Amino acid sequence: MHFCTRCGGPVSLRVPAGDSNLRHVCDVCGNIHYLNPKVVVGTLSEWEGKVMLCRRGIEPRYGLWTLPAGFMEMGETTAQGALRETYEEACARPELIDLFTLINVTHISQIHMLYRARLLTPDFAAGEESLEVRLFDEAEIPWEQIAFRSMAATLRCYFEDRARGQFQFHPIDLPPPEAG
Amino acid sequence: MHFCTRCGGPVSLRVPAGDSNLRHVCDVCGNIHYLNPKVVVGTLSEWEGKVMLCRRGIEPRYGLWTLPAGFMEMGETTAQGALRETYEEACARPELIDLFTLINVTHISQIHMLYRARLLTPDFAAGEESLEVRLFDEAEIPWEQIAFRSMAATLRCYFEDRARGQFQFHPIDLPPPEAG
């Protein structure tokens, strides 16, 4: 960022008094701009043993498959955000079961939270940001075409827990992607 | 906010094309500024059956008691942030056990995540933002002087789980505070 949101003056990266981090501080009015991690919320929805995936119709990762998820908005709960994103991307209204994964993606300062959910009817369709929405058996999952590692990790936890016969909450820290 | 972080031009509240929410959009360069909920992380640390609380040395709620916690920073995990805040506010280096509460505080667009933790030694002291740090038995908890409802809720869950002999993860949605 280059300019102050309060007065429009130029900002510089400085460590404010009493702080230990570099912040964007306004040279004119002294306003301190804090940047903080963002939360992404979504669902892993099941129907008759299959899970619902969306094929992305926007960048990044256009054409790859993902669980419906997106940035949490002001004033909503994590659960409300997960349901909203599921409706926007998959036109589906599942019932939430439980928070299933909480994934720290530190290299982009995001936290991804995926809820396990069940479709009450097999009604879904591609939302504005999706090309296609489909149910997949475990054997059909296009592992090489999953858009994001957090979503692949959530799917892996799901099928492992299901095989064990017991679902549990999974906190996960994703390492930075490998170079190259 | 009043000015664009990219070009310094004035911003207006508008719904961008393809969006359904009001955003601060720059009248000059079109830059869209997204506001998203912030994450607060901290610990409930135990030592020989007691829990560690900090008396706040800053506003808001100066002089009241709280669990050590604060805003998550860019590039850290939720666990790293919880430990950092515990060191900053209580000069303590506990060992984390598990994520214990995840609390949606929608009226201020925050998510509070508190980890259960154990002190390995009874070493702690007031950090810069604390007046005092103390261990409390359940009977000593100053319930009427707890700074934030999310922290009181976390303490209640802790003592209830302990009485039952089993700790579990608690997702909680806090209602807006009562008027008056």
Side-chain angles (χ1 to χ4, degrees):
Chain A
M1 66 176 294
H2 302 294
F3 296 96
C4 176
T5 57
R6 189 165 70 184
C7 79
V11 297
S12 306
L13 272 176
R14 283 186 273 151
V15 178
D19 202 334
S20 52
N21 288 290
L22 283 170
R23 313 282 182 190
H24 291 95
V25 182
C26 179
D27 297 339
V28 178
C29 78
N31 188 27
I32 304 169
H33 303 77
Y34 295 94
L35 289 175
N36 300 93
K38 289 185 190 284
V39 175
V40 167
V41 286
T43 60
L44 187 164
S45 292
E46 56 190 32
W47 172 258
E48 294 184 348
K50 302 185 176 199
V51 303
M52 186 179 71
L53 296 178
C54 303
R55 199 151 74 88
R56 289 176 63 79
I58 54 169
E59 294 294 349
R61 316 291 164 83
Y62 181 98
L64 299 187
W65 293 89
T66 189
L67 298 168
F71 288 111
M72 192 178 170
E73 296 280 0
M74 302 295 276
E76 68 186 4
T77 65
T78 47
Q80 287 165 345
L83 289 172
R84 176 184 52 71
E85 287 290 340
T86 303
Y87 187 71
E88 287 177 9
E89 299 190 356
C91 305
R93 297 220 180 265
E95 173 181 84
L96 294 189
I97 301 171
D98 260 328
L99 183 60
F100 184 57
T101 53
L102 187 154
I103 305 174
N104 281 287
V105 194
T106 52
H107 67 284
I108 50 171
S109 292
Q110 292 183 1
I111 304 171
H112 294 187
M113 295 191 207
L114 280 298
Y115 282 81
R116 211 155 49 85
R118 64 173 69 88
L119 295 176
L120 304 178
T121 62
D123 293 312
F124 53 81
E128 276 194 16
E129 300 184 354
S130 303
L131 299 173
E132 184 183 355
V133 178
R134 249 194 68 186
L135 295 172
F136 289 85
D137 269 329
E138 181 174 2
E140 300 171 320
I141 298 284
W143 292 106
E144 301 304 311
Q145 296 176 59
I146 301 296
F148 303 106
R149 291 181 302 148
S150 60
M151 304 305 166
T154 299
L155 286 164
R156 276 195 304 274
C157 288
Y158 175 80
F159 291 117
E160 284 169 16
D161 280 10
R162 194 169 77 174
R164 280 192 309 126
Q166 194 183 351
F167 291 101
Q168 61 180 69
F169 170 63
H170 297 268
I172 297 170
D173 293 342
L174 275 194
E178 287 171 29
Chain B
M1 66 177 292
H2 303 294
F3 297 96
C4 176
T5 57
R6 188 164 72 185
C7 79
V11 298
S12 305
L13 273 176
R14 282 187 275 150
V15 179
D19 201 334
S20 52
N21 287 289
L22 283 171
R23 313 283 183 191
H24 290 96
V25 182
C26 179
D27 297 338
V28 177
C29 78
N31 188 27
I32 304 170
H33 303 78
Y34 295 93
L35 290 175
N36 299 94
K38 289 185 190 286
V39 175
V40 167
V41 286
T43 60
L44 187 164
S45 292
E46 55 191 31
W47 172 259
E48 295 185 346
K50 300 183 178 201
V51 303
M52 186 178 71
L53 296 178
C54 303
R55 199 150 75 88
R56 289 177 63 79
I58 54 170
E59 294 293 347
R61 314 291 164 85
Y62 181 98
L64 299 188
W65 293 89
T66 189
L67 298 168
F71 288 111
M72 191 177 169
E73 296 280 0
M74 302 296 275
E76 68 185 5
T77 66
T78 45
Q80 288 165 346
L83 289 173
R84 177 184 51 71
E85 286 289 341
T86 303
Y87 187 70
E88 288 178 9
E89 299 191 354
C91 304
R93 297 221 181 263
E95 173 181 84
L96 294 188
I97 301 171
D98 260 329
L99 182 61
F100 184 57
T101 52
L102 188 154
I103 305 174
N104 281 287
V105 194
T106 51
H107 68 284
I108 51 172
S109 292
Q110 292 183 0
I111 304 171
H112 295 188
M113 295 191 208
L114 279 298
Y115 283 81
R116 213 154 48 85
R118 66 172 69 88
L119 296 177
L120 304 177
T121 60
D123 292 311
F124 53 81
E128 276 195 17
E129 300 184 351
S130 303
L131 299 174
E132 183 182 357
V133 179
R134 250 194 69 185
L135 295 171
F136 288 86
D137 270 328
E138 181 175 1
E140 299 171 322
I141 298 285
W143 292 106
E144 300 304 312
Q145 295 176 59
I146 301 296
F148 303 106
R149 290 181 301 148
S150 60
M151 305 304 166
T154 298
L155 286 164
R156 275 195 303 274
C157 288
Y158 176 81
F159 291 116
E160 283 169 18
D161 281 9
R162 194 169 78 173
R164 280 192 309 125
Q166 194 183 350
F167 290 101
Q168 61 179 68
F169 170 63
H170 297 269
I172 297 170
D173 294 342
L174 275 194
E178 287 171 30

